[in-house]
Amino acid sequence: MTGVRVLLADDQDIVRAGLRLMVDNAPDLTVIGEAATGTQAVRMARRTRADVVLMDIRMPELDGLAATRRICADPDLAGVKVLILTTFEVDEYVFEALRAGASGFLGKGARPEALIDAIRTVARGEALLSPAATRGLIARYLALDEQRPAPTSGVLDGLTEREHEIVALVATGMSNNEIADHLTLSPLTVKTHVNHAMTKLDARDRAQLVVIAYQAGLRGPRSGAHRGSSSAGSS
């Protein structure tokens, strides 16, 4: 991939300077703007049509969560991806950020090469939601029993048995390769089922697929699904 245009949104000048240095040193990435508040981030996203917005959650005027929601809800910014930057890989706002449409999140302590890879991943339209991060997100989500909304019934009814099974495994934090090993399928077959499920559930990426699974009350594969069963070829 070449020519990825990046917008930096963080209220700390020194943080933005460090991010700019790392991003601009990558031959295929270019910083095309900086924002110190959420309001500025939304305005500049509309002005520049950046490919990826690196979004800090805690910012003045309009926080990163609200800014992400506005960017992802704007049909004119459908091609703009948001990558959340957070002090902790999983914090209280990450789940809401993913619900708002963010394509993933990354800890501010990540190594420079991880940041560059993350930007490239999100720019390709893929979700940046590592298995470890997903498991941490699940643990926090399930701990908020009194705050969690009631499951949305019927959301997953359109999925095949195999798709339902694979979505449940995605929601546990398993990668496509791990799911393939678990079900004795090829990674390509797993990816195909994940893509079909995303299309049926109107999930823009893997991150939102996990969110939808949570909201639907999905906790694990249906009992009728078995390892390496004959449904492997279903779509």
Side-chain angles (χ1 to χ4, degrees):
M1 169 174 297
T2 59
V4 178
R5 302 162 67 250
V6 182
L7 172 63
L8 307 178
D10 193 291
D11 63 334
Q12 298 184 44
D13 293 345
I14 193 169
V15 172
R16 294 199 312 275
L19 292 172
R20 174 179 282 275
L21 181 62
M22 287 186 283
V23 173
D24 279 343
N25 276 340
D28 56 334
L29 308 181
T30 303
V31 174
I32 48 83
E34 297 184 16
T37 70
T39 302
Q40 290 177 4
V42 175
R43 184 168 61 247
M44 294 193 68
R46 289 171 176 158
R47 182 190 307 160
T48 66
R49 296 297 197 272
D51 298 305
V52 177
V53 180
L54 292 184
M55 181 79 74
D56 185 30
I57 288 182
R58 297 174 179 87
M59 288 189 293
E61 290 183 17
L62 188 70
D63 64 27
L65 176 61
T68 296
R69 186 177 294 111
R70 292 189 186 183
I71 290 172
C72 295
D74 189 337
D76 291 335
L77 300 180
V80 178
K81 309 297 183 183
V82 177
L83 175 59
I84 297 293
L85 292 177
T86 178
T87 305
F88 304 101
E89 188 175 20
V90 177
D91 68 19
E92 60 185 302
Y93 299 111
V94 167
F95 183 77
E96 289 302 320
L98 295 177
R99 286 186 63 188
S103 293
F105 57 94
L106 188 71
K108 285 187 176 179
R111 298 170 62 128
E113 56 267 30
L115 172 66
I116 299 306
D117 286 343
I119 295 171
R120 291 169 177 154
T121 296
V122 170
R124 288 196 301 267
E126 302 174 15
L128 185 79
L129 200 61
S130 70
T134 306
R135 293 181 185 114
L137 187 61
I138 291 166
R140 178 174 293 278
Y141 180 71
L142 295 181
L144 301 176
D145 287 333
E146 70 282 359
Q147 299 179 29
R148 190 167 68 250
T152 306
S153 62
V155 171
L156 306 179
D157 290 350
L159 300 183
T160 66
E161 196 76 23
R162 179 60 92 188
E163 289 165 357
H164 190 287
E165 179 182 30
I166 288 176
V167 168
L169 294 174
V170 168
T172 68
M174 293 177 71
S175 66
N176 284 355
N177 286 341
E178 289 173 329
I179 295 172
D181 289 342
H182 181 71
L183 298 177
T184 318
L185 300 172
S186 74
L188 180 58
T189 297
V190 172
K191 182 178 181 180
T192 298
H193 286 308
V194 170
N195 287 342
H196 286 169
M198 286 170 53
T199 298
K200 291 180 179 180
L201 298 175
D202 197 26
R204 60 188 285 168
D205 55 32
R206 193 182 186 93
Q208 287 210 317
L209 186 62
V210 172
V211 171
I212 291 169
Y214 292 166
Q215 292 176 319
L218 189 60
R219 293 292 175 267
R222 288 172 177 165
S223 59
H226 301 287
R227 180 185 176 98
S229 67
S230 60
S231 62
S234 64
S235 60

Short mmCIF file of all heavy atoms in Angstrom, two decimals, residues 10 15 19 22 54-58 83-91 94 98 103-119 122 128-130 132-134:
data_model
loop_
_atom_site.label_atom_id
_atom_site.label_comp_id
_atom_site.label_asym_id
_atom_site.label_seq_id
_atom_site.Cartn_x
_atom_site.Cartn_y
_atom_site.Cartn_z
N ASP A 10 -4.40 14.50 19.15
CA ASP A 10 -3.96 14.32 20.54
C ASP A 10 -3.75 15.71 21.12
O ASP A 10 -3.25 16.61 20.44
CB ASP A 10 -2.66 13.51 20.59
CG ASP A 10 -2.34 13.03 22.00
OD1 ASP A 10 -2.02 13.89 22.86
OD2 ASP A 10 -2.40 11.82 22.24
N VAL A 15 3.37 14.59 22.25
CA VAL A 15 2.91 13.30 21.74
C VAL A 15 2.71 13.38 20.22
O VAL A 15 3.13 12.49 19.48
CB VAL A 15 1.60 12.86 22.43
CG1 VAL A 15 1.02 11.63 21.75
CG2 VAL A 15 1.86 12.58 23.91
N LEU A 19 4.58 11.22 17.29
CA LEU A 19 3.82 10.46 16.31
C LEU A 19 4.16 10.89 14.89
O LEU A 19 4.32 10.08 13.98
CB LEU A 19 2.32 10.63 16.56
CG LEU A 19 1.75 10.00 17.83
CD1 LEU A 19 0.31 10.42 18.05
CD2 LEU A 19 1.85 8.47 17.77
N MET A 22 7.47 9.43 13.77
CA MET A 22 7.38 8.00 13.43
C MET A 22 6.65 7.78 12.12
O MET A 22 7.08 7.00 11.26
CB MET A 22 6.70 7.24 14.56
CG MET A 22 7.55 7.07 15.80
SD MET A 22 6.77 6.03 17.06
CE MET A 22 5.58 7.16 17.76
N LEU A 54 -5.47 8.95 13.77
CA LEU A 54 -4.96 8.44 15.04
C LEU A 54 -5.60 9.27 16.13
O LEU A 54 -5.30 10.47 16.27
CB LEU A 54 -3.44 8.55 15.11
CG LEU A 54 -2.62 7.66 14.17
CD1 LEU A 54 -1.14 7.83 14.45
CD2 LEU A 54 -3.02 6.21 14.33
N MET A 55 -6.50 8.67 16.90
CA MET A 55 -7.38 9.42 17.80
C MET A 55 -7.11 9.10 19.27
O MET A 55 -7.28 7.95 19.69
CB MET A 55 -8.85 9.10 17.46
CG MET A 55 -9.86 9.85 18.31
SD MET A 55 -10.10 11.55 17.76
CE MET A 55 -11.08 11.26 16.26
N ASP A 56 -6.69 10.11 20.02
CA ASP A 56 -6.59 9.96 21.46
C ASP A 56 -7.99 10.04 22.04
O ASP A 56 -8.86 10.77 21.53
CB ASP A 56 -5.71 11.07 22.03
CG ASP A 56 -5.46 10.91 23.52
OD1 ASP A 56 -5.44 9.76 24.00
OD2 ASP A 56 -5.28 11.93 24.20
N ILE A 57 -8.25 9.31 23.12
CA ILE A 57 -9.59 9.31 23.69
C ILE A 57 -9.84 10.54 24.55
O ILE A 57 -10.88 11.18 24.46
CB ILE A 57 -9.83 8.03 24.52
CG1 ILE A 57 -9.98 6.83 23.58
CG2 ILE A 57 -11.08 8.17 25.39
CD1 ILE A 57 -10.27 5.52 24.28
N ARG A 58 -8.87 10.89 25.37
CA ARG A 58 -9.08 11.99 26.31
C ARG A 58 -8.55 13.30 25.73
O ARG A 58 -7.35 13.53 25.71
CB ARG A 58 -8.40 11.66 27.64
CG ARG A 58 -9.00 10.43 28.31
CD ARG A 58 -8.21 10.04 29.54
NE ARG A 58 -8.80 8.87 30.18
CZ ARG A 58 -8.52 7.62 29.86
NH1 ARG A 58 -7.66 7.38 28.88
NH2 ARG A 58 -9.09 6.61 30.48
N LEU A 83 -8.29 4.97 14.25
CA LEU A 83 -7.48 4.09 15.09
C LEU A 83 -7.30 4.78 16.43
O LEU A 83 -6.71 5.85 16.52
CB LEU A 83 -6.13 3.82 14.43
CG LEU A 83 -5.10 3.01 15.22
CD1 LEU A 83 -5.64 1.64 15.57
CD2 LEU A 83 -3.80 2.90 14.44
N ILE A 84 -7.85 4.18 17.47
CA ILE A 84 -7.82 4.77 18.80
C ILE A 84 -6.45 4.55 19.44
O ILE A 84 -5.92 3.44 19.45
CB ILE A 84 -8.91 4.16 19.70
CG1 ILE A 84 -10.31 4.45 19.14
CG2 ILE A 84 -8.78 4.66 21.14
CD1 ILE A 84 -10.71 5.90 19.17
N LEU A 85 -5.90 5.62 19.99
CA LEU A 85 -4.67 5.54 20.77
C LEU A 85 -5.03 5.71 22.24
O LEU A 85 -5.72 6.67 22.59
CB LEU A 85 -3.69 6.63 20.35
CG LEU A 85 -3.09 6.51 18.95
CD1 LEU A 85 -2.20 7.71 18.65
CD2 LEU A 85 -2.28 5.23 18.81
N THR A 86 -4.59 4.80 23.08
CA THR A 86 -4.96 4.86 24.49
C THR A 86 -3.77 4.52 25.37
O THR A 86 -2.88 3.78 24.97
CB THR A 86 -6.14 3.90 24.77
OG1 THR A 86 -6.46 3.92 26.15
CG2 THR A 86 -5.79 2.49 24.36
N THR A 87 -3.77 5.10 26.57
CA THR A 87 -2.68 4.85 27.50
C THR A 87 -2.63 3.37 27.88
O THR A 87 -1.57 2.79 28.04
CB THR A 87 -2.85 5.71 28.77
OG1 THR A 87 -2.95 7.08 28.38
CG2 THR A 87 -1.67 5.53 29.70
N PHE A 88 -3.81 2.77 28.02
CA PHE A 88 -3.92 1.35 28.32
C PHE A 88 -4.57 0.65 27.14
O PHE A 88 -5.49 1.18 26.53
CB PHE A 88 -4.74 1.13 29.58
CG PHE A 88 -4.22 1.88 30.76
CD1 PHE A 88 -4.81 3.07 31.16
CD2 PHE A 88 -3.12 1.42 31.47
CE1 PHE A 88 -4.32 3.78 32.25
CE2 PHE A 88 -2.63 2.12 32.56
CZ PHE A 88 -3.23 3.31 32.94
N GLU A 89 -4.12 -0.57 26.84
CA GLU A 89 -4.63 -1.26 25.66
C GLU A 89 -6.14 -1.46 25.75
O GLU A 89 -6.85 -1.40 24.76
CB GLU A 89 -3.94 -2.62 25.50
CG GLU A 89 -4.29 -3.29 24.19
CD GLU A 89 -3.53 -4.58 23.96
OE1 GLU A 89 -3.04 -5.15 24.94
OE2 GLU A 89 -3.45 -5.00 22.80
N VAL A 90 -6.64 -1.68 26.96
CA VAL A 90 -8.08 -1.80 27.15
C VAL A 90 -8.46 -0.89 28.31
O VAL A 90 -7.98 -1.07 29.42
CB VAL A 90 -8.50 -3.26 27.48
CG1 VAL A 90 -9.99 -3.33 27.74
CG2 VAL A 90 -8.12 -4.18 26.34
N ASP A 91 -9.28 0.10 28.06
CA ASP A 91 -9.78 0.94 29.14
C ASP A 91 -11.28 1.07 29.01
O ASP A 91 -11.91 0.48 28.13
CB ASP A 91 -9.06 2.29 29.20
CG ASP A 91 -9.37 3.20 28.03
OD1 ASP A 91 -10.40 2.97 27.36
OD2 ASP A 91 -8.62 4.15 27.79
N VAL A 94 -12.85 2.00 25.47
CA VAL A 94 -12.54 1.30 24.22
C VAL A 94 -13.77 0.64 23.61
O VAL A 94 -14.02 0.75 22.41
CB VAL A 94 -11.41 0.28 24.42
CG1 VAL A 94 -11.30 -0.65 23.22
CG2 VAL A 94 -10.09 1.00 24.64
N LEU A 98 -15.33 1.37 19.86
CA LEU A 98 -15.58 0.39 18.81
C LEU A 98 -17.04 0.42 18.38
O LEU A 98 -17.35 0.29 17.19
CB LEU A 98 -15.20 -1.01 19.31
CG LEU A 98 -13.71 -1.22 19.61
CD1 LEU A 98 -13.47 -2.62 20.17
CD2 LEU A 98 -12.87 -1.00 18.36
N SER A 103 -11.96 1.44 14.05
CA SER A 103 -11.51 0.19 13.44
C SER A 103 -10.55 -0.58 14.33
O SER A 103 -10.10 -1.67 13.98
CB SER A 103 -10.82 0.48 12.11
OG SER A 103 -11.75 0.96 11.17
N GLY A 104 -10.24 -0.04 15.49
CA GLY A 104 -9.36 -0.74 16.41
C GLY A 104 -8.69 0.22 17.36
O GLY A 104 -8.98 1.41 17.37
N PHE A 105 -7.79 -0.32 18.17
CA PHE A 105 -7.10 0.54 19.12
C PHE A 105 -5.70 0.01 19.38
O PHE A 105 -5.40 -1.15 19.14
CB PHE A 105 -7.89 0.65 20.42
CG PHE A 105 -8.19 -0.66 21.10
CD1 PHE A 105 -7.34 -1.16 22.08
CD2 PHE A 105 -9.31 -1.39 20.75
CE1 PHE A 105 -7.61 -2.36 22.70
CE2 PHE A 105 -9.59 -2.60 21.37
CZ PHE A 105 -8.74 -3.08 22.35
N LEU A 106 -4.86 0.91 19.85
CA LEU A 106 -3.46 0.59 20.08
C LEU A 106 -2.97 1.34 21.30
O LEU A 106 -3.31 2.51 21.49
CB LEU A 106 -2.62 1.00 18.85
CG LEU A 106 -1.15 0.58 18.82
CD1 LEU A 106 -1.04 -0.92 18.60
CD2 LEU A 106 -0.44 1.32 17.70
N GLY A 107 -2.19 0.67 22.14
CA GLY A 107 -1.63 1.32 23.31
C GLY A 107 -0.57 2.33 22.92
O GLY A 107 0.19 2.11 21.98
N LYS A 108 -0.50 3.44 23.65
CA LYS A 108 0.50 4.46 23.35
C LYS A 108 1.92 3.97 23.59
O LYS A 108 2.87 4.56 23.10
CB LYS A 108 0.24 5.72 24.17
CG LYS A 108 -0.93 6.55 23.66
CD LYS A 108 -1.02 7.86 24.41
CE LYS A 108 -2.12 8.74 23.83
NZ LYS A 108 -2.25 10.03 24.54
N GLY A 109 2.05 2.90 24.34
CA GLY A 109 3.36 2.34 24.60
C GLY A 109 3.84 1.38 23.53
O GLY A 109 4.91 0.78 23.67
N ALA A 110 3.09 1.25 22.45
CA ALA A 110 3.46 0.32 21.38
C ALA A 110 4.75 0.77 20.71
O ALA A 110 5.05 1.97 20.64
CB ALA A 110 2.34 0.23 20.35
N ARG A 111 5.50 -0.18 20.21
CA ARG A 111 6.75 0.14 19.51
C ARG A 111 6.44 0.84 18.19
O ARG A 111 5.36 0.66 17.62
CB ARG A 111 7.53 -1.15 19.25
CG ARG A 111 7.92 -1.87 20.53
CD ARG A 111 8.47 -3.26 20.22
NE ARG A 111 9.68 -3.16 19.41
CZ ARG A 111 10.82 -3.75 19.73
NH1 ARG A 111 10.92 -4.45 20.83
NH2 ARG A 111 11.87 -3.64 18.94
N PRO A 112 7.36 1.66 17.68
CA PRO A 112 7.12 2.39 16.43
C PRO A 112 6.69 1.50 15.27
O PRO A 112 5.78 1.85 14.52
CB PRO A 112 8.49 3.05 16.16
CG PRO A 112 9.08 3.24 17.51
CD PRO A 112 8.65 2.03 18.31
N GLU A 113 7.33 0.33 15.13
CA GLU A 113 6.97 -0.56 14.03
C GLU A 113 5.55 -1.10 14.18
O GLU A 113 4.86 -1.33 13.19
CB GLU A 113 7.96 -1.71 13.90
CG GLU A 113 8.16 -2.55 15.14
CD GLU A 113 9.31 -2.08 16.02
OE1 GLU A 113 9.61 -0.86 16.01
OE2 GLU A 113 9.91 -2.93 16.70
N ALA A 114 5.10 -1.27 15.44
CA ALA A 114 3.73 -1.73 15.67
C ALA A 114 2.74 -0.65 15.27
O ALA A 114 1.67 -0.93 14.72
CB ALA A 114 3.54 -2.12 17.13
N LEU A 115 3.08 0.60 15.57
CA LEU A 115 2.22 1.72 15.18
C LEU A 115 2.09 1.81 13.66
O LEU A 115 0.98 1.95 13.14
CB LEU A 115 2.78 3.03 15.73
CG LEU A 115 2.09 4.31 15.25
CD1 LEU A 115 0.67 4.38 15.77
CD2 LEU A 115 2.88 5.55 15.67
N ILE A 116 3.21 1.70 12.98
CA ILE A 116 3.18 1.80 11.51
C ILE A 116 2.38 0.65 10.92
O ILE A 116 1.56 0.85 10.02
CB ILE A 116 4.62 1.79 10.95
CG1 ILE A 116 5.41 3.00 11.47
CG2 ILE A 116 4.60 1.79 9.43
CD1 ILE A 116 4.76 4.33 11.24
N ASP A 117 2.58 -0.55 11.43
CA ASP A 117 1.81 -1.71 10.95
C ASP A 117 0.33 -1.53 11.23
O ASP A 117 -0.52 -1.91 10.41
CB ASP A 117 2.31 -3.00 11.61
CG ASP A 117 3.65 -3.47 11.06
OD1 ASP A 117 4.03 -2.99 9.97
OD2 ASP A 117 4.29 -4.31 11.70
N ALA A 118 0.01 -0.94 12.38
CA ALA A 118 -1.39 -0.72 12.74
C ALA A 118 -2.06 0.25 11.77
O ALA A 118 -3.19 0.02 11.32
CB ALA A 118 -1.48 -0.18 14.17
N ILE A 119 -1.37 1.31 11.43
CA ILE A 119 -1.92 2.28 10.47
C ILE A 119 -2.15 1.61 9.13
O ILE A 119 -3.21 1.80 8.50
CB ILE A 119 -0.98 3.49 10.33
CG1 ILE A 119 -0.89 4.27 11.64
CG2 ILE A 119 -1.44 4.41 9.20
CD1 ILE A 119 0.17 5.35 11.64
N VAL A 122 -5.26 -0.79 9.34
CA VAL A 122 -6.54 -0.08 9.34
C VAL A 122 -6.81 0.56 7.98
O VAL A 122 -7.94 0.57 7.50
CB VAL A 122 -6.54 0.98 10.47
CG1 VAL A 122 -7.76 1.88 10.35
CG2 VAL A 122 -6.53 0.28 11.83
N LEU A 128 -8.02 -3.66 13.60
CA LEU A 128 -6.86 -3.90 14.45
C LEU A 128 -7.38 -4.25 15.83
O LEU A 128 -7.61 -3.40 16.66
CB LEU A 128 -5.96 -2.67 14.52
CG LEU A 128 -4.66 -2.93 15.30
CD1 LEU A 128 -3.67 -3.68 14.41
CD2 LEU A 128 -4.06 -1.63 15.78
N LEU A 129 -7.59 -5.52 16.05
CA LEU A 129 -8.13 -6.00 17.31
C LEU A 129 -7.43 -7.30 17.63
O LEU A 129 -7.87 -8.37 17.23
CB LEU A 129 -9.65 -6.19 17.19
CG LEU A 129 -10.45 -6.22 18.49
CD1 LEU A 129 -10.30 -4.90 19.24
CD2 LEU A 129 -11.92 -6.47 18.22
N SER A 130 -6.32 -7.22 18.31
CA SER A 130 -5.52 -8.41 18.58
C SER A 130 -6.28 -9.36 19.50
O SER A 130 -7.14 -8.95 20.28
CB SER A 130 -4.20 -8.02 19.25
OG SER A 130 -4.44 -7.55 20.56
N ALA A 132 -5.28 -10.79 22.21
CA ALA A 132 -5.07 -10.41 23.61
C ALA A 132 -5.94 -9.22 23.99
O ALA A 132 -6.55 -9.19 25.06
CB ALA A 132 -3.60 -10.08 23.85
N ALA A 133 -6.00 -8.25 23.10
CA ALA A 133 -6.82 -7.07 23.37
C ALA A 133 -8.30 -7.44 23.41
O ALA A 133 -9.06 -6.94 24.24
CB ALA A 133 -6.58 -6.02 22.30
N THR A 134 -8.72 -8.33 22.53
CA THR A 134 -10.12 -8.75 22.51
C THR A 134 -10.50 -9.45 23.80
O THR A 134 -11.56 -9.21 24.38
CB THR A 134 -10.38 -9.69 21.31
OG1 THR A 134 -9.96 -9.06 20.11
CG2 THR A 134 -11.87 -10.00 21.20
#
